[in-house]
Amino acid sequence: MSRWLSVILPAHDEADWIGDCARALLASDPVPAGWRCEVLVVANGCSDDTAARARGFADQAAARGWDWQVLELAEGGKLGALTAGDAAARGELRAYLDADVRLDAALLAQLVTALDTEAPRYASGTPRVAPAKSLITRLYARFWQRLPFVATGVPGFGLFAVNAAGRARWGNWPDIISDDTFVRLSFTPQERLRVKAGYDWPMVEGFANLVRVRRRQDAGVAEVARLYPHLPQNDGTPGLGMGGLIRHLLRDPLGFAVYATVALTVRTPLYRPRSRWDRGR
């Protein structure tokens, strides 16, 4: 009997992104023997043709032997999309994928191999920031990608996956800003696995958008710490320390200047998020 990997893909007004995401997903290497894939695109509160574009990949998925469903929710919101996706999914393994992410061909198969155990596990790939148009974003991303959280950790932004024992760590999805932080911190560092294959994740363009999204991210981390005070002990991200900070500064002074300016501006009232889920685009 086959076992299943369910890829749950929330999508709100992602018509400009869903095609590239789906094409990369369907170009994935075969998963290990005994496993099958299903994809559940959860179009939530869309005012564009995200759902129609997603349905256009059903035949290509069927040719690969994949199940491909598009669920439409009238109300927007990632909480509802995650809940609906989980309710419809049959997989022992669950991968939660953002619609603007492009996976390497080897990534799904490596995630299945990493998660194929009875012990609770969380896994993600090796993240890369997609090339940006804005010089400010390129400089920020260049510095940010060298920080320990991104360079050596298993951050899970844009993509994370869990096995059945891992998904049992929480019940209903909490109504919080940062679902990826909540899930990542539900596992100890020893339970989090980073596989070699990677994925491309777009960073928002321009200084103002970086500030807005960074402020939301910081608020999301603080919210998890406030509501679930036992979880931050699972962080395990090594600190830079003064020596590490100086080395990063000397290695990339322009990147450091942009990163530091964004971080300082986040702590001022100059920019406010447009909504709790502000993506900056």
Side-chain angles (χ1 to χ4, degrees), residues 212-263:
R212 290 189 187 106
V213 172
R214 172 66 184 271
R215 176 169 279 160
R216 178 181 62 79
Q217 291 168 343
D218 288 357
V221 172
E223 181 182 48
V224 169
R226 184 178 72 254
L227 297 177
Y228 307 96
H230 62 290
L231 291 184
Q233 67 185 359
N234 288 333
D235 190 356
T237 301
L240 275 177
M242 184 57 67
L245 187 63
I246 291 172
R247 285 194 296 273
H248 278 69
L249 167 61
L250 294 175
R251 183 178 183 182
D252 186 5
L254 284 178
F256 175 83
V258 172
Y259 181 86
T261 302
V262 169

Coordinates of all heavy atoms in Angstrom, one line a residue, residues 212-263:
R212 N 8.6 47.0 6.6 CA 7.3 46.5 6.9 C 7.3 45.0 7.2 O 6.7 44.5 8.2 CB 6.3 46.7 5.8 CG 6.0 48.2 5.6 CD 4.9 48.4 4.6 NE 4.6 49.8 4.2 CZ 5.0 50.3 3.1 NH1 5.6 49.6 2.2 NH2 4.8 51.6 2.9
V213 N 8.0 44.2 6.4 CA 7.9 42.8 6.5 C 8.8 42.3 7.7 O 8.4 41.4 8.5 CB 8.4 42.0 5.2 CG1 8.5 40.6 5.4 CG2 7.3 42.3 4.1
R214 N 9.9 43.0 7.9 CA 10.8 42.7 9.0 C 10.0 43.0 10.3 O 10.1 42.2 11.3 CB 12.1 43.5 8.9 CG 13.0 43.4 10.2 CD 13.6 42.0 10.4 NE 14.3 42.0 11.6 CZ 15.7 42.3 11.7 NH1 16.3 42.6 10.6 NH2 16.3 42.2 12.8
R215 N 9.3 44.1 10.4 CA 8.5 44.4 11.6 C 7.5 43.3 11.8 O 7.3 42.9 13.0 CB 7.8 45.8 11.4 CG 6.9 46.1 12.6 CD 6.5 47.6 12.5 NE 7.6 48.5 13.0 CZ 7.7 49.7 12.7 NH1 6.9 50.3 11.9 NH2 8.7 50.5 13.3
R216 N 6.8 42.9 10.8 CA 5.8 41.8 11.0 C 6.5 40.5 11.4 O 6.0 39.8 12.3 CB 5.1 41.5 9.6 CG 4.1 40.4 9.8 CD 3.4 40.1 8.4 NE 4.3 39.7 7.4 CZ 4.8 38.5 7.2 NH1 4.5 37.5 8.1 NH2 5.6 38.2 6.2
Q217 N 7.7 40.2 10.9 CA 8.4 39.0 11.3 C 8.8 39.1 12.8 O 8.6 38.1 13.5 CB 9.6 38.8 10.4 CG 9.3 38.4 9.0 CD 10.5 38.5 8.1 OE1 11.5 39.1 8.4 NE2 10.4 37.9 6.9
D218 N 9.3 40.2 13.2 CA 9.7 40.4 14.6 C 8.4 40.3 15.5 O 8.5 39.7 16.6 CB 10.4 41.7 14.8 CG 11.8 41.8 14.2 OD1 12.2 40.7 13.7 OD2 12.4 42.9 14.2
A219 N 7.3 40.9 15.0 CA 6.1 40.8 15.8 C 5.6 39.3 15.9 O 5.1 38.9 17.0 CB 5.0 41.6 15.2
G220 N 5.8 38.5 14.9 CA 5.4 37.1 14.9 C 6.2 36.3 15.9 O 5.7 35.5 16.6
V221 N 7.5 36.6 15.9 CA 8.4 35.9 16.8 C 8.0 36.2 18.3 O 8.0 35.4 19.2 CB 9.9 36.2 16.5 CG1 10.8 35.6 17.6 CG2 10.3 35.6 15.2
A222 N 7.8 37.5 18.5 CA 7.4 38.0 19.9 C 6.1 37.4 20.3 O 5.9 37.0 21.5 CB 7.4 39.5 19.9
E223 N 5.2 37.3 19.3 CA 3.9 36.7 19.7 C 4.0 35.2 20.1 O 3.4 34.8 21.0 CB 2.9 36.8 18.4 CG 1.5 36.3 18.7 CD 0.7 36.4 17.4 OE1 1.2 36.0 16.3 OE2 -0.4 36.9 17.5
V224 N 4.8 34.5 19.3 CA 5.0 33.0 19.7 C 5.6 33.0 21.1 O 5.2 32.1 21.9 CB 5.9 32.3 18.7 CG1 6.3 31.0 19.2 CG2 5.2 32.2 17.3
A225 N 6.6 33.8 21.4 CA 7.2 33.8 22.7 C 6.2 34.1 23.8 O 6.3 33.6 24.9 CB 8.4 34.7 22.7
R226 N 5.3 35.0 23.5 CA 4.3 35.4 24.5 C 3.3 34.4 24.8 O 2.9 34.1 25.9 CB 3.7 36.7 24.1 CG 2.7 37.3 25.1 CD 2.1 38.6 24.7 NE 1.1 38.5 23.6 CZ 1.3 38.8 22.4 NH1 2.5 39.3 22.0 NH2 0.4 38.6 21.4
L227 N 2.8 33.8 23.7 CA 1.7 32.8 23.8 C 2.2 31.4 24.1 O 1.4 30.6 24.8 CB 0.9 32.8 22.5 CG 0.2 34.0 22.1 CD1 -0.5 33.9 20.7 CD2 -0.8 34.5 23.1
Y228 N 3.4 31.1 23.8 CA 4.0 29.8 24.0 C 5.3 29.9 24.6 O 6.4 29.6 23.9 CB 4.0 29.0 22.7 CG 2.7 28.9 21.9 CD1 2.4 29.9 20.9 CD2 1.7 28.0 22.3 CE1 1.2 29.9 20.2 CE2 0.5 28.0 21.6 CZ 0.3 28.9 20.6 OH -1.0 28.9 19.9
P229 N 5.4 30.3 25.8 CA 6.7 30.7 26.4 C 7.7 29.5 26.5 O 8.9 29.7 26.7 CB 6.4 31.2 27.8 CG 5.0 30.7 28.1 CD 4.3 30.6 26.8
H230 N 7.2 28.3 26.4 CA 8.1 27.1 26.5 C 8.8 26.9 25.1 O 9.8 26.1 25.1 CB 7.3 25.9 26.8 CG 6.2 25.5 25.8 ND1 5.1 26.3 25.7 CD2 6.1 24.5 24.9 CE1 4.3 25.7 24.7 NE2 4.9 24.6 24.3
L231 N 8.4 27.5 24.0 CA 8.9 27.1 22.7 C 10.3 27.8 22.4 O 11.1 27.2 21.8 CB 7.9 27.5 21.6 CG 6.7 26.6 21.5 CD1 5.8 27.1 20.3 CD2 7.0 25.2 21.4
P232 N 10.5 29.0 22.8 CA 11.8 29.6 22.5 C 13.0 28.9 23.0 O 14.1 29.0 22.4 CB 11.8 31.0 23.1 CG 10.3 31.4 23.1 CD 9.6 30.0 23.4
Q233 N 12.9 28.0 24.0 CA 14.0 27.2 24.4 C 14.5 26.3 23.3 O 15.6 25.7 23.4 CB 13.7 26.5 25.7 CG 12.6 25.4 25.5 CD 12.2 24.7 26.8 OE1 12.7 25.0 27.8 NE2 11.3 23.8 26.7
N234 N 13.7 26.0 22.3 CA 14.0 25.1 21.2 C 14.7 25.8 20.1 O 15.1 25.2 19.1 CB 12.8 24.4 20.7 CG 12.3 23.4 21.6 OD1 13.0 22.8 22.4 ND2 11.0 23.1 21.5
D235 N 15.0 27.1 20.2 CA 15.6 27.9 19.1 C 16.9 27.3 18.7 O 17.1 26.8 17.5 CB 15.7 29.3 19.5 CG 16.0 30.2 18.3 OD1 16.2 29.7 17.2 OD2 16.1 31.4 18.5
G236 N 17.9 27.3 19.5 CA 19.2 26.7 19.2 C 20.0 27.4 18.2 O 21.1 26.9 17.8
T237 N 19.6 28.6 17.7 CA 20.4 29.3 16.7 C 21.6 30.0 17.4 O 21.5 30.7 18.4 CB 19.6 30.5 16.1 OG1 18.4 29.9 15.5 CG2 20.4 31.2 15.0
P238 N 22.8 29.7 17.0 CA 24.0 30.3 17.6 C 24.1 31.8 17.4 O 23.7 32.3 16.3 CB 25.2 29.6 16.9 CG 24.6 29.1 15.6 CD 23.2 28.8 15.8
G239 N 24.4 32.5 18.4 CA 24.6 33.9 18.3 C 25.9 34.3 17.6 O 26.8 33.5 17.6
L240 N 25.8 35.5 17.0 CA 27.0 36.0 16.3 C 28.1 36.4 17.3 O 29.3 36.1 17.1 CB 26.7 37.2 15.5 CG 26.2 37.0 14.1 CD1 25.8 38.3 13.4 CD2 27.2 36.2 13.2
G241 N 27.8 37.0 18.4 CA 28.8 37.6 19.3 C 29.4 38.8 18.6 O 29.3 39.0 17.4
M242 N 30.2 39.5 19.4 CA 30.8 40.7 18.9 C 31.9 40.4 17.8 O 32.0 41.0 16.8 CB 31.5 41.5 20.0 CG 32.1 42.8 19.6 SD 30.9 43.9 18.8 CE 29.8 44.3 20.2
G243 N 32.6 39.3 18.1 CA 33.6 38.9 17.1 C 33.0 38.5 15.8 O 33.5 38.9 14.7
G244 N 31.9 37.8 15.8 CA 31.2 37.4 14.6 C 30.6 38.6 13.9 O 30.7 38.7 12.6
L245 N 30.1 39.5 14.6 CA 29.5 40.7 14.0 C 30.6 41.5 13.3 O 30.3 42.0 12.2 CB 28.8 41.5 15.1 CG 28.0 42.7 14.7 CD1 26.8 42.3 13.8 CD2 27.6 43.5 15.9
I246 N 31.7 41.6 13.9 CA 32.8 42.4 13.3 C 33.3 41.7 12.0 O 33.5 42.3 11.0 CB 34.0 42.6 14.3 CG1 33.5 43.5 15.4 CG2 35.2 43.1 13.6 CD1 34.5 43.6 16.5
R247 N 33.4 40.4 12.1 CA 33.8 39.6 10.9 C 32.8 39.8 9.7 O 33.2 40.0 8.6 CB 34.0 38.1 11.2 CG 35.2 37.8 12.0 CD 35.5 36.3 12.0 NE 34.4 35.6 12.7 CZ 34.4 35.4 14.0 NH1 35.3 35.9 14.8 NH2 33.4 34.7 14.5
H248 N 31.5 39.8 10.0 CA 30.5 40.0 9.0 C 30.6 41.4 8.5 O 30.4 41.7 7.3 CB 29.1 39.7 9.6 CG 28.7 38.3 9.6 ND1 29.4 37.4 10.4 CD2 27.8 37.6 8.9 CE1 28.9 36.2 10.2 NE2 27.9 36.2 9.3
L249 N 30.8 42.4 9.4 CA 30.9 43.8 9.0 C 32.1 44.0 8.0 O 31.9 44.6 7.0 CB 31.1 44.7 10.2 CG 31.5 46.1 10.0 CD1 30.5 46.9 9.1 CD2 31.7 46.8 11.3
L250 N 33.2 43.4 8.4 CA 34.4 43.6 7.5 C 34.2 42.9 6.2 O 34.8 43.3 5.1 CB 35.6 43.1 8.2 CG 36.0 43.9 9.5 CD1 37.2 43.2 10.2 CD2 36.4 45.3 9.1
R251 N 33.5 41.8 6.2 CA 33.3 41.0 5.0 C 32.4 41.7 4.0 O 32.6 41.6 2.8 CB 32.8 39.6 5.3 CG 32.6 38.7 4.1 CD 32.2 37.3 4.6 NE 32.0 36.4 3.5 CZ 31.6 35.1 3.7 NH1 31.2 34.7 4.9 NH2 31.5 34.3 2.6
D252 N 31.4 42.3 4.5 CA 30.4 42.9 3.7 C 29.8 44.2 4.3 O 28.7 44.3 4.9 CB 29.2 41.9 3.5 CG 28.2 42.4 2.5 OD1 28.4 43.5 1.9 OD2 27.1 41.7 2.3
P253 N 30.6 45.3 4.3 CA 30.2 46.5 5.0 C 28.9 47.1 4.4 O 28.1 47.7 5.1 CB 31.4 47.5 4.8 CG 32.2 46.9 3.7 CD 32.0 45.4 3.7
L254 N 28.8 47.1 3.1 CA 27.5 47.7 2.5 C 26.3 46.9 2.9 O 25.3 47.4 3.3 CB 27.7 47.7 1.0 CG 28.5 48.8 0.4 CD1 28.6 48.7 -1.1 CD2 28.0 50.2 0.8
G255 N 26.4 45.5 2.8 CA 25.3 44.7 3.3 C 25.0 44.9 4.7 O 23.8 45.0 5.1
F256 N 26.0 45.0 5.6 CA 25.8 45.3 7.0 C 25.1 46.6 7.2 O 24.2 46.7 8.0 CB 27.1 45.3 7.7 CG 27.0 45.7 9.2 CD1 26.7 44.7 10.1 CD2 27.2 47.0 9.6 CE1 26.6 45.1 11.5 CE2 27.1 47.3 10.9 CZ 26.8 46.4 11.8
A257 N 25.5 47.6 6.5 CA 24.9 48.9 6.6 C 23.4 48.9 6.3 O 22.6 49.5 7.0 CB 25.6 50.0 5.7
V258 N 23.0 48.2 5.2 CA 21.6 48.1 4.9 C 20.9 47.3 5.9 O 19.8 47.7 6.3 CB 21.5 47.5 3.5 CG1 20.0 47.3 3.1 CG2 22.1 48.5 2.4
Y259 N 21.4 46.2 6.3 CA 20.7 45.3 7.2 C 20.5 46.0 8.6 O 19.4 46.0 9.1 CB 21.6 44.0 7.4 CG 21.0 43.1 8.4 CD1 20.0 42.1 8.0 CD2 21.3 43.1 9.8 CE1 19.4 41.2 8.9 CE2 20.7 42.2 10.6 CZ 19.8 41.3 10.2 OH 19.2 40.4 11.1
A260 N 21.6 46.7 9.0 CA 21.5 47.4 10.3 C 20.5 48.6 10.2 O 19.7 48.8 11.2 CB 22.9 47.9 10.7
T261 N 20.5 49.3 9.1 CA 19.5 50.4 9.0 C 18.1 49.9 9.0 O 17.2 50.5 9.6 CB 19.8 51.2 7.7 OG1 21.2 51.6 7.7 CG2 18.9 52.4 7.5
V262 N 17.8 48.8 8.3 CA 16.5 48.2 8.3 C 16.1 47.8 9.8 O 15.0 48.1 10.3 CB 16.4 47.0 7.4 CG1 15.1 46.2 7.6 CG2 16.5 47.4 5.9
A263 N 17.0 47.1 10.4 CA 16.8 46.7 11.8 C 16.5 47.8 12.7 O 15.6 47.7 13.6 CB 17.9 45.8 12.3

